[in-house]
Amino acid sequence: MVSTVSSRFAGGRAAVLLFGDSITQEGTTATGGWAALLAAHFSRRADVVNRGLAGYNSRWGLQALDSCLPPHAATALATVWFGANDGADASLNPRQHVPIDEYKTNLTQIVERIRQRCERVIVLSPPPIHEASYRTVFVEPRQGKGAPLDRSLAVSQSYAVAAGEVAAAT
């Protein structure tokens, strides 16, 4: 019995790669977080490898991709979730902002490189920005009342559409 169990898990276990920004990274921090739920779902079939990189945009994610790929022989499924930081306002947050055309190119390259190891790649769109909550939780505690927002619902929607276009084309 022990040899059956150990052979089942030794080297032959596939990976599920979660690759993205802080939304991915923090998917295991909360009870019932999306990454934690996936890890529970796949617990006997695959190792869920969370490679969420807080603060990263698609440009930095593309540069970091090779060091984030799981060492497993097979990757059964991968998610790619960038865009929340890419869509930051270029004048208020030039460090994180990535123009939408470059974002699409970066996502395409990320998906194509992951597809070399994994057929099933899911591109997730950046979530909508609830501006009032974003202001209260992220902007005002750091920059004070009345500080301008570096994210908006309209821009997050355009990056979500771009992610959908990449998903459909790849």
Side-chain angles (χ1 to χ4, degrees):
M1 177 78 132
V2 173
S3 63
T4 303
V5 172
S6 63
S7 66
R8 184 170 170 211
F9 292 106
R13 216 169 140 96
V16 172
L17 172 65
L18 311 179
F19 185 57
D21 55 28
S22 61
I23 299 168
T24 299
Q25 180 177 325
E26 295 171 11
T28 57
T29 58
T31 303
W34 75 277
L37 292 172
L38 280 176
H41 176 77
F42 286 109
S43 66
R44 291 185 171 217
R45 293 171 291 201
D47 294 327
V48 175
V49 179
N50 187 331
R51 295 294 187 260
L53 305 165
Y56 273 51
N57 57 33
S58 64
R59 181 185 302 141
W60 301 333
L62 179 59
Q63 293 170 358
L65 178 59
D66 289 337
S67 66
C68 293
L69 294 172
H72 298 64
T75 302
L77 172 69
T79 64
V80 176
W81 199 353
F82 287 99
N85 297 321
D86 298 76
D89 184 277
S91 61
L92 296 173
N93 190 345
R95 185 170 175 267
Q96 287 185 310
H97 173 77
V98 173
I100 200 158
D101 289 336
E102 180 186 348
Y103 169 70
K104 288 174 68 173
T105 299
N106 294 342
L107 273 187
T108 299
Q109 290 178 17
I110 289 168
V111 170
E112 288 173 350
R113 284 176 48 194
I114 292 174
R115 277 242 163 87
Q116 293 171 2
R117 303 169 51 111
C118 175
E119 280 187 38
R120 294 184 194 108
V121 179
I122 299 171
V123 177
L124 298 161
S125 66
I129 300 294
H130 184 264
E131 293 174 9
S133 296
Y134 183 71
R135 175 181 303 285
T136 302
V137 174
F138 294 103
V139 176
E140 289 179 351
R142 293 178 180 100
Q143 299 173 7
K145 289 213 181 276
L149 297 179
D150 68 337
R151 324 267 164 127
S152 72
L153 179 60
V155 172
S156 68
Q157 181 179 10
S158 64
Y159 280 75
V161 168
E165 291 170 356
V166 170
T170 54

